[in-house]
Amino acid sequence: MNRGPASWLQRMMVTTALTTATFAGGAAFAQSSPTPASTAQAEPAPAAAGDAADDNAQTQEGEIVVTASRTATNGLQAPTPTQVVGAEVISKQGATTVMEVLNQNPAFKATRSPGANATNTSSPAQATADLRALGGQRTLVLVNQSRVVPFAPASNLGVPTTTDLNLFPTLMIERVDVVTGGASALYGSDAVSGVVNIVMKKKYQGVEVTAQAGVSQLGDYGTRRIGFIAGTSFNGDRGHIVLSGDYSDNDGVGDIYTRDWGRDEYMIVSNGQRTIPGTPGFGQPAFILAKNVHNNLGAGGVIISSIPGLTNMTFNPDGSIRPFQRGSISGGSTMIGGEGGSIITGTALVPKVERETAYGSIYYDFSDSLTGYIEGGYSRSVGILDGVPIRLSSQVIRRDNPFIPAQVLALLPATTQSFNISRIGIDIGINRYEITNETPHGTVGLQGKLGGTWKWDAHVSYGINYYSSATFNNPVTAKLAYAIDAVRDSSGNIVCRGVRDGVAAAAGCQPLNLFGEGNTTAAARNYIWGEGLAKVKYDQFTTAANIVGEPFSTWAGPVSVAFGGEYRRETEKLTADAVGANNGFLTAGNAVPYAGAFNVKEGYVEATVPLAKDLPALHNLSVNGAFRYADYSTVGGQTAWKAGAVWEPVDGLIFRVARSRDIRAPAINELYSPGSNVTNAVTMVVDGVTKSPVIPQNTSMGNPHVGPEFSKTFTVGAAYRGRGALSGLGFSVDYYNIKIDDAITNLSTANIASLCSAGEAYFCNLFTYGPDLSTPDPNDRVHTALNAGSLNVGAFAQKGIDMTLTYGTSLGFLGEGGRGSIAASGTYVLHALVDSGTGAAPIDRAGENGWANLGAIPHFRGNLSTTLGTNAWELTLQTIFISKGVQDVTYNTLPSNTINDNRVPAVTYFNLYGKIFAGENKKFEFFWAVNNLFDKDPPPTPYIILNGPVNGQYYDKVGRAFMFGARARF
């Protein structure tokens, strides 16, 4: 095979041959993050012919690397669809993490990324790959086909255990393969929705330095980055060393009032007045999407008790009272109109993020048949998020509280010993979260030849994830209660009741005045605030070996076989400060300590068997199969398998089909997390009688008996790369059908109680019971506590179609090296069924553009990119499209679940970016980008629980932003 450099057009068509979603030398992905988006990249370097069928499947050493198969000799032989992202795509957009590129792919959802969800207090800087919107824990991330240590935050089941894509400096990445079908038979647990394999550079000659900076048109979202890659060979080209480092930081974006669309204050309000005659909300829908939605808690406090002359009175800064200007419709903690501001005033739209990454490798050929290598790196990311103020929906104030204004005491009935107020403490301060994630990791391995076609490789890898969550200005629940309960001591001084009465736990308490904005003292604020610190150490040890070769041939060609084994051990230990360990913080920051571990021993075999070649009816036909057995210390023996076939009836056109059974073993937190307790009333039927005691309940704990998830995936599709007059044309279309059973989930208390009341004995057994002392019969029972861990009761099913179309050609009239390319890609989701395990019918979340529910996904996302260029410049216009949808597919399905406007309009974004080359062999490169060229506002897609106005998983929250950078090669 000619290994000379291929022309840019031929290299572009390599990807067409290899991938389901065909991209011209890279990827044309839909954008869902505020960073500049990428497009199809026509390789600008002049070159000569190469083998287009195999070229993109080669490493720099010339060996075959096909992520979707260990036995395929090129991408066409792999029946499982694969998408390829080239290094040039990452380079073009100046991406600081590979996440920024992957989340532009219509098959991915930016579930956890800095721009997606600024309420992610446990991991604001996290970068997670989430294929098919089924959760990042169901997408396996590999580096050079090997596992890397995952990211495990200090959260009791609140955040999945996944690989953090911050680990890898993008300058070191050769390409990224995305297997969009199940691959557990090849790679083990977690490869349910697919695999992301990051292929790192193994050879590099010279030094390349990149520097860039950016800013939004409003002057925020400032970004800075500097990185390098350097490499050389030694000892007669037998050894190769490559090093890369990258530093970047981002100033983030302030709260909603920094944006014109944010100042509209859109939110969904729960209409608690819809059944009350004479109220503004009577007869209206149960939920209302509206502008000018404010908090109804009151910045100065609002009396909510029913007291003549005092109900709905608020406090001015001087302590005087006046009627609170309540909005037209009020529900929960928000209202439409009225005084005050949004309930998320002060909460950042995008957190501040700082990243440092380094990666290196040494490969050395001891002989023609033996190569040894060491590779690994270190990463550190820090995410800083401005969170929320104190929110008190119903705070008891005793009559003897000396801060109560005289005007209120005069109207307070003599028999009233206390009353309740609501209060939002924006003036008291916004809590802040600083999350640090550090990960050293490394691999030592050998690879070689056994003679003939047989090759082998073996490696040992070890990595540690150090996670720390520091919280500041975080109210301590017990201290807040002591501080609010103020009295006068014998000397007439205002003190905390606990201090006056000698309560040891109240020592140091400073009284807090909630009556009127701005009346708290610095001493009181410093007393109620706590600084929490939770840490996790998660380590992963892996050793694996693989052998691949061709034991014999059939009439149609050689049979390829691969087999191997792997041992993996993972441990996790969470520690926390005394307050957080006892769930003592008012908002976030609580983490109950625990430790856990598991190990797994597994082996696999795969074979590719050609059945026909150059026959009139069959032409080229091959079948592929794989089987894996894994013995887990936690869930015992598990099996996974895959079977598929590839048919090329005519040159350039292939059809492929694959079926697989995949697994996901439970993560350590799903097994051993202690969860946390809350105490509330729980209504359920006990012995035929409905009872509602107030009991402690823990529904966030793990379960050491939880089993694995199982998935079945079916894919079928076709791909074409042009010949003759159609040279330069490529397209692909693939249908996928994923069904996940026994999905691990944690049900809510209400769900469990409802299932028990319906006669489900399993769920009744999750409660403990005792004698009902409210009745005279000693045999009467009542539920006394609930402890419900992770359960295998959920299910998902998603069906859809991935489509791509590319075309590239030479355009001599543009000048030397003139070229042009068009690339279109998209995913249409037919159905996205989610069964929460409550016994209710599954819900089809396809077409749900809101972000409140797991599995929600737009029907269609697409990308159209057009690139023109020469040897001196390049210009790309990218169009990103997100189809119209609804806020929540369950709205307007029941009388109790109606909404006034459930529509989410279609959105189109445009991004413009380019390059200018200078110097001999393009030694210098200047690149720039204008993201969200026409400053398109995001549509209102609020989440009623987190009170966020926009689904940042799909829509840009930054607005028009600019980036400029320079790159020099030596």
Side-chain angles (χ1 to χ4, degrees):
M1 179 176 64
N2 182 358
R3 294 297 300 153
S7 71
W8 69 268
L9 181 58
Q10 289 168 324
R11 289 187 180 182
M12 182 186 74
M13 295 315 303
V14 168
T15 312
T16 303
L18 285 171
T19 63
T20 295
T22 309
F23 306 112
F29 288 165
Q31 177 178 332
S32 57
S33 65
T35 53
S38 182
T39 184
Q41 168 64 25
E43 176 66 44
D51 189 334
D54 293 348
D55 194 55
N56 207 25
Q58 308 289 323
T59 68
Q60 291 165 319
E61 287 71 35
E63 64 199 35
I64 301 298
V65 176
V66 180
T67 300
S69 170
R70 294 179 184 267
T71 58
T73 57
N74 61 65
L76 295 176
Q77 288 186 326
T80 306
T82 304
Q83 305 178 5
V84 177
V85 183
E88 181 61 27
V89 175
I90 302 171
S91 170
K92 171 181 287 190
Q93 71 171 19
T96 55
T97 71
V98 70
M99 170 205 67
E100 298 169 26
V101 176
L102 291 181
N103 284 341
Q104 297 160 11
N105 182 340
F108 284 86
K109 181 177 183 178
T111 307
R112 293 195 169 272
S113 62
N117 183 0
T119 56
N120 183 3
T121 59
S122 63
S123 53
Q126 187 180 6
T128 295
D130 182 3
L131 270 167
R132 310 298 186 197
L134 295 173
Q137 69 271 38
R138 298 181 179 94
T139 300
L140 177 61
V141 176
L142 305 171
V143 174
N144 293 340
Q145 294 188 301
S146 299
R147 287 179 179 261
V148 289
V149 60
F151 169 94
S155 178
N156 296 310
L157 294 180
V159 182
T161 299
T162 60
T163 299
D164 188 359
L165 297 177
N166 286 314
L167 282 172
F168 317 108
T170 54
L171 294 175
M172 189 77 177
I173 295 174
E174 180 73 23
R175 74 174 197 273
V176 181
D177 294 348
V178 179
V179 181
T180 57
S184 292
L186 291 177
Y187 298 108
S189 176
D190 306 335
V192 174
S193 353
V195 171
V196 173
N197 180 31
I198 300 172
V199 181
M200 308 298 277
K201 291 182 172 72
K202 299 178 181 179
K203 289 183 180 180
Y204 192 86
Q205 196 68 33
V207 178
E208 178 181 313
V209 179
T210 297
Q212 64 191 67
V215 67
S216 80
Q217 70 172 9
L218 296 178
D220 56 10
Y221 197 68
T223 61
R224 293 151 296 274
R225 180 211 184 182
I226 186 167
F228 79 92
I229 181 171
T232 189
S233 59
F234 59 93
N235 199 15
D237 206 38
R238 295 177 66 179
H240 304 275
I241 181 170
V242 185
L243 298 173
S244 181
D246 218 319
Y247 171 85
S248 66
D249 70 345
N250 186 321
D251 295 336
V253 177
D255 69 8
I256 63 172
Y257 294 106
T258 64
R259 296 296 183 267
D260 54 358
W261 54 264
R263 291 188 287 273
D264 287 336
E265 301 174 314
Y266 267 106
M267 192 57 61
I268 293 175
V269 175
S270 177
N271 182 12
Q273 305 166 19
R274 69 186 186 278
T275 60
I276 305 174
T279 63
F282 178 66
Q284 297 295 314
F287 299 97
I288 298 177
L289 172 65
K291 291 183 177 182
N292 303 317
V293 174
H294 301 151
N295 78 86
N296 63 15
L297 303 174
V302 179
I303 298 175
I304 60 175
S305 296
S306 181
I307 303 173
L310 291 178
T311 303
N312 200 48
M313 300 302 284
T314 189
F315 301 89
N316 295 314
D318 63 0
S320 61
I321 61 174
R322 59 175 173 80
F324 181 67
Q325 298 174 26
R326 193 167 293 276
S328 59
I329 295 177
S330 184
S333 56
T334 57
M335 61 186 179
I336 301 173
E339 65 176 90
S342 170
I343 197 169
I344 56 169
T345 298
T347 302
L349 284 172
V350 180
K352 300 176 183 178
V353 176
E354 182 180 17
R355 299 185 181 96
E356 304 164 10
T357 61
Y359 200 96
S361 67
I362 300 176
Y363 279 74
Y364 188 80
D365 297 330
F366 295 104
S367 68
D368 291 341
S369 59
L370 180 63
T371 299
Y373 64 91
I374 301 173
E375 62 179 37
Y378 168 84
S379 74
R380 180 178 181 269
S381 66
V382 180
I384 300 175
L385 175 66
D386 294 328
V388 297
I390 291 174
R391 300 172 184 173
L392 303 174
S393 59
S394 183
Q395 176 62 49
V396 175
I397 302 294
R398 298 194 189 187
R399 184 188 185 94
D400 57 354
N401 189 310
F403 290 128
I404 299 175
Q407 191 178 0
V408 174
L409 285 174
L411 295 172
L412 198 64
T415 57
T416 301
Q417 298 304 307
S418 66
F419 59 93
N420 287 42
I421 69 168
S422 62
R423 175 77 146 83
I424 186 168
I426 298 172
D427 60 321
I428 299 175
I430 306 295
N431 55 23
R432 184 167 61 91
Y433 305 88
E434 184 173 316
I435 311 301
T436 302
N437 186 36
E438 297 181 84
T439 309
H441 57 101
T443 300
V444 177
L446 294 169
Q447 55 192 29
K449 300 175 182 178
L450 296 173
T453 61
W454 291 94
K455 297 182 296 183
W456 65 276
D457 66 85
H459 73 268
V460 174
S461 65
Y462 182 69
I464 307 175
N465 178 243
Y466 295 104
Y467 169 97
S468 70
S469 170
T471 60
F472 305 93
N473 298 355
N474 201 1
V476 178
T477 305
K479 287 187 174 183
L480 182 64
Y482 283 128
I484 292 174
D485 190 13
V487 294
R488 290 191 185 273
D489 64 11
S490 58
S491 301
N493 299 317
I494 299 178
V495 297
C496 303
R497 187 186 304 272
V499 171
R500 186 199 66 181
D501 296 346
V503 177
C509 177
Q510 297 293 319
L512 186 72
N513 182 1
L514 294 180
F515 300 99
E517 194 171 9
N519 288 327
T520 61
T521 65
R525 293 193 297 273
N526 289 334
Y527 169 73
I528 65 170
W529 285 337
E531 293 187 2
L533 181 61
K535 294 184 177 182
V536 175
K537 179 187 177 186
Y538 195 107
D539 69 283
Q540 180 189 82
F541 171 82
T542 302
T543 181
N546 306 281
I547 296 176
V548 61
E550 298 172 354
F552 60 90
S553 296
T554 70
W555 56 91
V559 173
S560 298
V561 175
F563 56 92
E566 180 176 333
Y567 171 82
R568 179 162 45 97
R569 184 194 71 234
E570 299 187 13
T571 65
E572 179 178 6
K573 183 178 181 180
L574 186 157
T575 58
D577 62 279
V579 175
N582 289 282
N583 294 304
F585 288 112
L586 181 68
T587 52
N590 296 313
V592 180
Y594 71 94
F598 74 86
N599 65 76
V600 56
K601 299 177 285 290
E602 47 196 330
Y604 79 93
V605 61
E606 183 194 11
T608 296
V609 180
L611 297 181
K613 184 176 182 179
D614 298 329
L615 295 180
L618 297 177
H619 199 54
N620 294 326
L621 174 65
S622 65
V623 295
N624 174 273
F627 177 84
R628 175 176 290 256
Y629 178 81
D631 183 14
Y632 286 86
S633 62
T634 52
V635 294
Q638 305 295 328
T639 59
W641 55 262
K642 182 187 75 170
V646 177
W647 176 40
E648 186 179 14
V650 296
D651 191 26
L653 175 66
I654 66 166
F655 294 94
R656 53 185 160 226
V657 61
R659 178 83 173 181
S660 67
R661 180 186 191 267
D662 304 285
I663 68 163
R664 183 179 80 85
I668 292 175
N669 65 331
E670 292 169 325
L671 291 162
Y672 304 119
S673 169
S676 57
N677 279 293
V678 296
T679 301
N680 287 311
V682 179
T683 301
M684 60 179 276
V685 176
V686 179
D687 300 334
V689 179
T690 301
K691 300 183 178 183
S692 302
V694 175
I695 64 172
Q697 48 200 274
N698 185 343
T699 59
S700 60
M701 62 193 300
N703 177 3
H705 303 296
V706 72
E709 298 179 348
F710 299 97
S711 171
K712 289 185 178 180
T713 299
F714 173 75
T715 60
V716 60
Y720 175 74
R721 54 188 176 99
R723 296 289 191 273
L726 296 179
S727 179
L729 173 68
F731 72 82
S732 67
V733 57
D734 282 273
Y735 166 84
Y736 67 88
N737 185 341
I738 302 173
K739 295 181 179 179
I740 302 174
D741 293 318
D742 296 331
I744 300 171
T745 188
N746 284 68
L747 298 180
S748 69
T749 297
N751 292 149
I752 296 170
S754 176
L755 289 165
C756 175
S757 297
E760 297 282 350
Y762 175 87
F763 295 97
C764 292
N765 291 335
L766 298 176
F767 290 89
T768 56
Y769 301 86
D772 190 346
L773 301 179
S774 66
T775 68
D777 189 341
N779 295 316
D780 280 350
R781 298 188 309 156
V782 68
H783 45 296
T784 57
L786 170 63
N787 289 282
S790 306
L791 301 171
N792 295 105
V793 294
F796 303 95
Q798 189 178 124
K799 301 177 183 179
I801 300 172
D802 293 325
M803 302 160 285
T804 68
L805 175 67
T806 64
Y807 180 73
T809 187
S810 299
L811 299 174
F813 65 87
L814 291 177
E816 185 178 357
R819 59 193 182 274
S821 66
I822 296 174
S825 63
T827 295
Y828 188 88
V829 180
L830 299 167
H831 299 286
L833 295 168
V834 178
D835 184 345
S836 62
T838 64
I843 298 173
D844 190 349
R845 298 287 179 184
E848 183 173 306
N849 294 24
W851 49 304
N853 300 298
L854 177 65
I857 190 169
H859 269 301
F860 179 77
R861 293 172 62 210
N863 175 302
L864 173 64
S865 296
T866 303
T867 298
L868 298 175
T870 70
N871 289 344
W873 58 269
E874 184 178 274
L875 186 67
T876 297
L877 176 66
Q878 182 183 47
T879 304
I880 306 298
F881 178 78
I882 305 165
S883 64
K884 67 179 181 180
V886 297
Q887 303 283 353
D888 190 320
V889 296
T890 64
Y891 283 151
N892 297 325
T893 59
L894 295 171
S896 60
N897 205 29
T898 53
I899 193 170
N900 63 318
D901 185 359
N902 197 27
R903 297 169 297 173
V904 178
V907 171
T908 303
Y909 292 109
F910 295 92
N911 305 298
L912 184 66
Y913 50 97
K915 293 182 177 181
I916 298 174
F917 306 104
E920 186 179 357
N921 295 322
K922 302 180 181 179
K923 181 177 181 180
F924 301 103
E925 178 183 313
F926 303 94
F927 55 96
W928 54 270
V930 183
N931 184 54
N932 197 350
L933 181 65
F934 297 110
D935 197 26
K936 176 70 175 178
D937 290 344
T941 43
Y943 184 7
I944 193 172
I945 302 299
L946 295 178
N947 299 294
V950 169
N951 182 2
Q953 296 166 338
Y954 295 120
Y955 304 109
D956 176 29
K957 297 188 290 186
V958 176
R960 186 184 292 119
F962 308 92
M963 182 272 289
F964 179 80
R967 189 173 289 120
R969 302 176 179 91
F970 305 97

